[in-house]
Amino acid sequence: MAFLLPVAWGLSWELGLLMGVGAAVVAGSVLCNTNNGGFPNINNGGFHIPHIHRNQPTTPPVTHQPTALQVPVQHTLPPVTVPQTTTQPVPVQHKKSEVEEDANEDSSKKEEDANEDSSETEEDENKKLRNEIAEKALEVAAEYIEKRMMGPPQKSIEQFKGQARLPKFAVPIRYNIRLKPDLNACKFAGSVAIELNIVADTSFIVLNAAELSVDTASVSFAHSSISKVLKPLKVHVVEEDEILVLDFADTLLIGIGFLTIHFQGTLNDRMKGFYTSTFEHNGEKKNVAVTRFEPVGARRCFPCWDEPACKAVFKITLDVPSKLVALSNMPIIEEKIDGDLKTVSYQESPIMSTYLVAIVIGLFDYEEHLTSDGVKVRVYCQVGKLNQGRFALDVAVRTLELYREYFAVPYFLPKLDMVAIPDFAFGAMANYGLVTCCETDLLYDNQYSTAANKQRVVIVVAHELAHQWFGNLVTIEWWTHLWLNEGFATWVSYLAANHLFPEWKMWTQFLDDYAEGLRLDGLAESHPIEVEINHAREIDEIVNAISYNKGASVIRMLQSYLGAECFQRSLASYIKKFARSNAKTKDLWAALEEGSGAPVNKLMNSWTKQKGYPVISVKVKDRKLVFEQSQFLASGSHGDGQWIVPITLCCGSYDVQKDFLLQTKSETLDMKELLSDENNLASTWVKLNVNQTGFYRVKYDEDLAAKLRYVIENKYLSATDRFGVLDDSFALCMAGQQSLTSLLTLMGAYKEELEYAVLSNLINISYKVERIAADATPDLLNYIKLFFNLFQGSAMKLGWEPKTGESHLDAMLRGEVLTALAMFGHDLTLKEANRRFRAFLDDRNTPLLHPNIRKAAYVAVMREVRTSNRFGYESLLRVYRETNSSQEKTRVLSSLTSSPDPNIIVEALNFLLSSEVRTLDAVLGLAVSREGRETAWTWMKTKGFKHIGGQGTFLLSCRKNIHRGAPSRP
């Protein structure tokens, strides 16, 4: 039997590799030829290895001493399949044992002695081998059983660290959440019971949790098919990855189970997760508890699978002070009052992602309307500001009805609440059925609000309500596709605003967002629209103008290419197909391609999967138009990107148009195809990118550029095209591809311009040219008065007083033109602004200073403030402290740093950090005057970043605003 040792052991481990450790034990025991079904009974300190039958689990309890995070747990052995075996081993060639070698060395002995000795040796060796095999088999069996008792042979928790996504062996189905916030102590306690589907063998449950104190003794898991409650051996909190790892002793059974966790948390002041905001009521400070979970804030409120693909149903219960309003995604179904506390229960939500869960608790009033199909719409705001929410309420009702028709899918919840929050980051959040907004973006007050404020309310409401379909009903699968949510909502918000208020010419105003997308995407440090997100901490890096503005612009380009009707029909089909589920960018392209028959996927991949965009150079050669594309970079260099570009052009008239796809580096077009009269070829103008629907810039040769200046001056081009020619020329000038002289010559063609979007862009470009002149050649500043000629004409026509029946756009333009003249030091404007401001200080209701021109007056006052003349500065601080209007405070803060005196600049910047200014509002004062830019940048480096830089995406905007030197819009 000696020869069986290596063969048997080798065979047992081969079986082990193929069939698992259990097979190795069985193989070893067969070769041992022991009784008791192949497993010997060994009593060693009470440890007993039982006989194991096929498909029949054993149930002897094994008790362990509990650890700090552990309670006594009973373990049972799972069934082990025993393979069919034979009792006779098969001889195999093998290496001789040491005993055999010793016997061969004694070859001089007689044969009969040798045979006798050999027989005795073989019997001894066989006995020895049987004992060794039995001992080895028992070691393997003990090791196997111990591993099974401690859980399946899986990796440690290290496997879950640093991962982009949570493991998928457990899928949440339903959350039952109960929270009890203490608004005075800024803390909360809570519990969550999560119905899970265990879909793969695991002894771990891994979910998200951050900044929560988990009661480890409360953590338990119960499978629906058994009554036994499992407690984890260990509860691991991995702070850097914001995950909670529950390590159980046994493999969790496949199927439905229930996970229960109790926890505590802090109502933070960072405007994410579950946080507090404050406002004053009757001279007393009141706290509001509010959530902002997108993208990964839900884990700061309750343990959960905090990923958009992990959709589930939510049942929420709140224990709150009885005098406060408590809101969540769904309507209230029960409210029980017990003294100073009440328990509020809400209807179960539809299936949705964690980042859409919302809670608001505070002292609010509300206005209510119904849509034509019975949806209850409310706007909540601070007590005393109820009248300021009525405009947003009307817009919301009309927008819901518009989207119901456009998407061909009705709004799917019984109610929609919108709440104005004093402190709210990023403007607004489109939670399912409970939209939360910054006050300045939701409230409109006739006494304090400007026309621009009114328009902002429309855009914000339309944007957030678009998410109820595009984001909530159909949700992105992962944050890589964030642009799909935000780019689409940005685009459709202009669609809605243009439908509700066609006189506002919103698609012309959209070009402001379009231009910002081009500006940012022209940087070498830009990124593609679609960015692979490998960790939750990376998400904030793509919340910028690329995802929003460029995303909206390429959707607009695609709609123009496919046609509005085809695009709408295909979009409705996409929403119906992916309703209540998740989708990726390619799913939208597939739906649009199926509906149109166009190569949408091929076309759009060139725009979403690479950064940047092209500049299309066009020239006339031999009566042919020659087009060439190259990547535009603001630095002046050329990248190596190439796009499939939807080219549109008109020639001499908007009646003569041509469109085609530019799929190569260059292409030519015979002008004879456009004009029947060859005699007009030499004098005909050409405009590419008709109405600026394409996301690219155009560079014309000198002859074509000169013809465009003429048609601009004579208003032959549409407002959108006048905007586009100016913006492209400025960008090319900044990139060194055109001269400053050519830009200034072109700007002169706009001196009679009265279209709001175009003139507003001209003002912004003028600010930047002034800054460049000051940095390059200070003596050029003496010629800045040349800009007066661009704006004086429009200022004279608009005047200071609002006119009866004037347009919304004229009301907005008046404030911007007067602010520009004040910034450039126009004497008459400064004097008139100061006169009106003094009248306003005496009577805050004077008609001399309408909200639309207050920003211009505030800037003009600050332009004359010096250390020796502080009247204007002190007066504005008094206005700030006496008003309770968020929009009025915003105007003051954005004007305080307009002084040319560096000492006043520093004082104003320090005021931004005082307790009188909300943290979120501090960034408003960073748009400093040209003279104060270097002072402000020094202040930011030494003090500002420490206090303001923590506001995430604001960090990047700080330097941009300082060096832009231009005031924000009123």
Side-chain angles (χ1 to χ4, degrees):
M1 288 286 291
F3 67 91
L4 291 177
L5 176 60
V7 175
W9 200 238
L11 178 61
S12 72
W13 281 112
E14 284 184 0
L15 288 171
L17 292 172
L18 293 173
M19 303 174 63
V21 178
V25 177
V26 173
S29 65
V30 168
L31 294 175
C32 290
N33 196 23
T34 58
N35 297 320
N36 300 317
F39 281 86
N41 290 328
I42 295 181
N43 290 301
N44 184 7
F47 189 81
H48 176 74
I49 300 178
H51 177 64
I52 300 178
H53 296 281
R54 180 192 303 267
N55 299 327
Q56 180 179 334
T58 58
T59 57
V62 180
T63 303
H64 298 275
Q65 294 298 317
T67 64
L69 298 178
Q70 180 184 352
V71 296
V73 181
Q74 289 189 334
H75 299 275
T76 59
L77 289 171
V80 175
T81 301
V82 181
Q84 298 294 325
T85 62
T86 62
T87 58
Q88 297 296 326
V90 179
V92 182
Q93 295 295 324
H94 64 284
K95 180 180 178 180
K96 292 183 179 181
S97 68
E98 292 180 2
V99 175
E100 289 177 302
E101 290 174 350
D102 290 340
N104 289 335
E105 289 175 1
D106 197 10
S107 59
S108 61
K109 292 185 177 181
K110 294 180 180 180
E111 182 175 344
E112 52 273 13
D113 292 340
N115 290 338
E116 182 178 341
D117 292 341
S118 176
S119 178
E120 291 175 357
T121 302
E122 182 176 348
E123 183 178 352
D124 292 339
E125 287 298 316
N126 285 341
K127 184 177 180 179
K128 180 180 178 181
L129 287 172
R130 282 197 300 271
N131 291 334
E132 289 179 355
I133 292 173
E135 290 174 2
K136 194 68 177 178
L138 289 175
E139 289 177 17
V140 175
E143 179 182 354
Y144 167 69
I145 294 170
E146 183 180 359
K147 287 181 178 179
R148 294 295 291 174
M149 289 177 177
M150 297 302 293
Q154 296 186 358
K155 297 178 182 178
S156 69
I157 67 164
E158 296 299 319
Q159 66 180 312
F160 305 121
K161 294 182 178 180
Q163 299 299 310
R165 309 280 289 269
L166 293 172
K168 299 298 185 286
F169 40 63
V171 179
I173 299 172
R174 179 175 284 99
Y175 292 81
N176 195 329
I177 302 166
R178 185 160 189 166
L179 297 171
K180 185 178 181 180
D182 185 336
L183 274 66
N184 294 321
C186 293
K187 295 182 180 297
F188 65 93
S191 64
V192 60
I194 310 173
E195 182 180 349
L196 300 177
N197 187 10
I198 305 297
V199 297
D201 286 340
T202 179
S203 63
F204 292 103
I205 292 179
V206 185
L207 65 165
N208 294 113
E211 300 171 14
L212 295 176
S213 177
V214 174
D215 179 3
T216 56
S218 73
V219 180
S220 65
F221 179 80
H223 196 277
S224 60
S225 64
I226 59 176
S227 59
K228 183 178 180 181
V229 176
L230 301 179
K231 293 283 190 174
L233 291 174
K234 294 182 180 180
V235 177
H236 306 273
V237 177
V238 185
E239 293 183 1
E240 59 270 26
D241 292 315
E242 300 182 342
I243 59 174
L244 184 68
V245 182
L246 310 180
D247 186 354
F248 290 88
D250 288 323
T251 301
L252 304 178
L253 295 179
I254 301 294
I256 303 300
F258 298 88
L259 175 66
T260 302
I261 304 174
H262 291 248
F263 52 90
Q264 293 182 335
T266 300
L267 295 171
N268 68 75
D269 60 356
R270 303 192 309 277
M271 290 175 285
K272 65 179 181 179
F274 201 8
Y275 72 94
T276 55
S277 178
T278 61
F279 65 90
E280 285 194 4
H281 176 62
N282 295 331
E284 184 180 353
K285 183 175 288 187
K286 300 290 184 181
N287 280 351
V288 176
V290 61
T291 58
R292 186 181 71 79
F293 287 164
E294 188 178 13
V296 289
R299 64 190 67 179
R300 288 170 170 80
C301 184
F302 58 94
C304 57
W305 277 256
D306 201 10
E307 296 181 0
C310 297
K311 284 191 166 186
V313 171
F314 294 83
K315 180 74 172 66
I316 295 175
T317 302
L318 301 176
D319 296 309
V320 299
S322 55
K323 294 182 179 180
L324 299 183
V325 173
L327 304 173
S328 189
N329 305 82
M330 301 298 291
I332 296 172
I333 57 173
E334 186 178 42
E335 188 172 295
K336 295 181 179 178
I337 298 178
D338 183 9
D340 293 335
L341 287 177
K342 64 181 177 181
T343 299
V344 186
S345 300
Y346 302 86
Q347 287 182 21
E348 193 172 77
S349 77
I351 187 171
M352 64 182 185
S353 303
T354 50
Y355 78 88
L356 297 172
V357 175
I359 295 165
V360 177
I361 303 163
L363 195 63
F364 295 105
D365 278 343
Y366 71 86
E367 283 272 343
E368 175 184 308
H369 280 332
L370 292 176
T371 64
S372 59
D373 57 346
V375 177
K376 185 181 293 184
V377 184
R378 289 178 175 178
V379 171
Y380 287 83
C381 53
Q382 292 181 38
V383 175
K385 293 187 176 183
L386 191 58
N387 65 311
Q388 299 179 33
R390 289 171 183 157
F391 177 68
L393 180 61
D394 176 67
V395 171
V397 171
R398 295 167 64 192
T399 302
L400 281 179
E401 296 184 343
L402 170 65
Y403 287 164
R404 180 185 65 204
E405 180 181 346
Y406 187 82
F407 297 132
V409 175
Y411 177 70
F412 29 85
L413 297 186
K415 64 96 172 174
L416 173 71
D417 296 330
M418 298 187 297
V419 189
I421 307 296
D423 298 287
F424 199 85
F426 302 112
M429 175 62 203
N431 311 296
Y432 240 162
L434 180 56
V435 175
T436 44
C437 302
C438 182
E439 276 193 345
T440 54
D441 291 333
L442 191 64
L443 303 184
Y444 177 76
D445 185 340
N446 287 327
Q447 182 178 359
Y448 294 106
S449 300
T450 65
N453 294 141
K454 188 175 188 178
Q455 183 173 295
R456 173 67 178 168
V457 170
V458 175
I459 288 294
V460 169
V461 170
H463 182 107
E464 304 311 323
L465 267 55
H467 279 311
Q468 303 298 315
W469 282 263
F470 222 93
N472 299 4
L473 183 62
V474 180
T475 309
I476 55 174
E477 192 275 337
W478 180 239
W479 298 109
T480 293
H481 310 283
L482 173 68
W483 85 272
L484 202 57
N485 269 9
E486 301 304 342
F488 180 84
T490 301
W491 172 80
V492 84
S493 67
Y494 279 88
L495 179 84
N498 194 65
H499 176 85
L500 297 177
F501 302 95
E503 69 277 12
W504 291 4
K505 301 179 182 179
M506 291 306 299
W507 282 122
T508 304
Q509 292 196 62
F510 173 79
L511 296 182
D512 191 46
D513 284 3
Y514 165 89
E516 179 63 13
L518 287 169
R519 187 197 65 77
L520 186 58
D521 204 29
L523 302 176
E525 298 80 9
S526 182
H527 61 78
I529 288 179
E530 194 173 341
V531 179
E532 192 65 35
I533 298 298
N534 297 309
H535 198 280
R537 69 175 70 96
E538 300 173 1
I539 299 170
D540 284 345
E541 297 175 12
I542 61 171
V543 181
N544 54 33
I546 300 299
S547 297
Y548 284 71
N549 300 22
K550 181 182 179 180
S553 298
V554 298
I555 288 172
R556 176 171 171 259
M557 177 174 67
L558 181 58
Q559 186 220 25
S560 176
Y561 174 69
L562 298 179
E565 184 179 340
C566 174
F567 185 85
Q568 179 183 355
R569 184 176 62 250
S570 302
L571 193 63
S573 176
Y574 163 81
I575 290 175
K576 289 176 183 177
K577 180 176 181 179
F578 291 96
R580 297 176 178 84
S581 62
N582 298 86
K584 301 179 180 180
T585 300
K586 65 180 182 181
D587 297 320
L588 177 59
W589 297 159
L592 292 169
E593 190 163 303
E594 181 180 355
S596 66
V600 175
N601 190 65
K602 180 181 178 183
L603 167 65
M604 296 309 294
N605 280 345
S606 74
W607 293 94
T608 63
K609 293 186 179 298
Q610 65 176 329
K611 66 180 181 180
Y613 57 87
V615 53
I616 308 298
S617 299
V618 57
K619 62 183 179 181
V620 178
K621 184 177 181 180
D622 299 329
R623 297 193 172 188
K624 292 181 179 180
L625 290 173
V626 180
F627 307 92
E628 184 176 350
Q629 68 161 298
S630 61
Q631 183 175 354
F632 176 84
L633 288 171
S635 63
S637 60
H638 289 282
D640 54 3
Q642 184 171 327
W643 290 260
I644 299 176
V645 188
I647 298 291
T648 57
L649 64 92
C650 56
C651 191
S653 165
Y654 283 102
D655 295 330
V656 181
Q657 294 197 28
K658 173 75 174 178
D659 58 86
F660 63 93
L661 286 180
L662 177 62
Q663 303 189 56
T664 57
K665 281 286 188 181
S666 61
E667 194 164 328
T668 60
L669 178 67
D670 195 332
M671 294 186 70
K672 295 178 182 178
E673 297 180 21
L674 300 172
L675 297 174
S676 56
D677 188 353
E678 295 186 18
N679 295 325
N680 293 331
L681 292 180
S683 60
T684 299
W685 56 267
V686 175
K687 170 63 175 66
L688 263 66
N689 199 9
V690 177
N691 290 323
Q692 300 304 114
T693 57
F695 194 74
Y696 55 88
R697 296 198 183 279
V698 181
K699 180 181 180 181
Y700 300 91
D701 66 15
E702 289 187 10
D703 182 55
L704 291 175
K707 293 174 182 176
L708 280 176
R709 284 194 296 272
Y710 173 79
V711 295
I712 287 170
E713 200 164 12
N714 290 275
K715 302 289 176 61
Y716 293 160
L717 289 186
S718 67
T720 52
D721 283 331
R722 297 199 303 275
F723 183 109
V725 172
L726 176 62
D727 201 66
D728 286 349
S729 181
F730 172 72
L732 290 166
C733 178
M734 295 301 98
Q737 297 188 40
Q738 285 185 4
S739 66
L740 180 59
T741 300
S742 66
L743 172 64
L744 293 175
T745 302
L746 176 64
M747 290 172 69
Y750 291 83
K751 62 184 178 181
E752 300 295 328
E753 185 63 62
L754 284 173
E755 187 71 35
Y756 169 74
V758 183
L759 191 50
S760 177
N761 193 36
L762 183 65
I763 290 170
N764 286 330
I765 288 174
S766 299
Y767 288 140
K768 296 169 185 176
V769 171
E770 181 209 25
R771 184 196 72 196
I772 293 167
D775 290 343
T777 310
D779 292 342
L780 287 177
L781 290 177
N782 295 327
Y783 299 95
I784 290 300
K785 291 183 180 180
L786 293 174
F787 288 121
F788 297 166
N789 295 328
L790 293 177
F791 310 127
Q792 275 183 302
S794 55
M796 293 280 291
K797 292 178 181 178
L798 293 167
W800 284 84
E801 305 287 347
K803 297 178 176 59
T804 302
E806 73 177 359
S807 71
H808 166 82
L809 295 177
D810 281 351
M812 288 205 302
L813 186 57
R814 178 180 294 108
E816 290 204 32
V817 169
L818 293 174
T819 301
L821 289 173
M823 284 294 296
F824 289 132
H826 186 243
D827 288 338
L828 293 178
T829 300
L830 294 175
K831 290 177 181 178
E832 181 63 16
N834 273 274
R835 183 184 75 83
R836 290 172 179 266
F837 179 69
R838 289 175 182 271
F840 174 72
L841 291 178
D842 294 334
D843 176 11
R844 300 299 165 83
N845 295 315
T846 179
L848 289 176
L849 203 63
H850 189 277
N852 286 324
I853 61 171
R854 283 183 197 169
K855 175 64 180 291
Y858 296 167
V859 168
V861 166
M862 286 304 302
R863 290 301 294 168
E864 298 192 344
V865 169
R866 303 292 189 277
T867 305
S868 58
N869 177 20
R870 298 173 54 86
F871 171 77
Y873 179 71
E874 300 291 349
S875 299
L876 277 179
L877 286 180
R878 180 154 56 92
V879 171
Y880 179 88
R881 289 165 176 149
E882 291 177 358
T883 185
N884 67 345
S885 167
S886 300
Q887 291 162 349
E888 186 71 14
K889 287 180 181 292
T890 294
R891 273 193 293 275
V892 174
L893 289 176
S894 60
S895 305
L896 285 177
T897 52
S898 300
S899 170
D901 189 321
N903 294 323
I904 298 295
I905 293 291
V906 171
E907 188 172 344
L909 290 172
N910 286 334
F911 177 72
L912 298 177
L913 304 183
S914 71
S915 60
E916 295 185 67
V917 179
R918 295 183 183 275
T919 304
L920 186 66
D921 293 341
V923 73
L924 297 171
L926 298 179
V928 301
S929 65
R930 169 179 52 79
E931 298 89 345
R933 286 185 297 127
E934 293 306 320
T935 298
W937 184 235
T938 300
W939 178 88
M940 278 299 303
K941 290 185 291 184
T942 57
K943 184 182 292 188
F945 280 130
K946 179 180 178 181
H947 298 276
I948 301 176
Q951 297 304 311
T953 55
F954 293 139
L955 186 72
L956 295 177
S957 68
C958 292
R959 185 163 187 168
K960 177 186 76 175
N961 286 336
I962 288 172
H963 285 272
R964 178 178 294 170
S968 57
R969 287 189 176 182

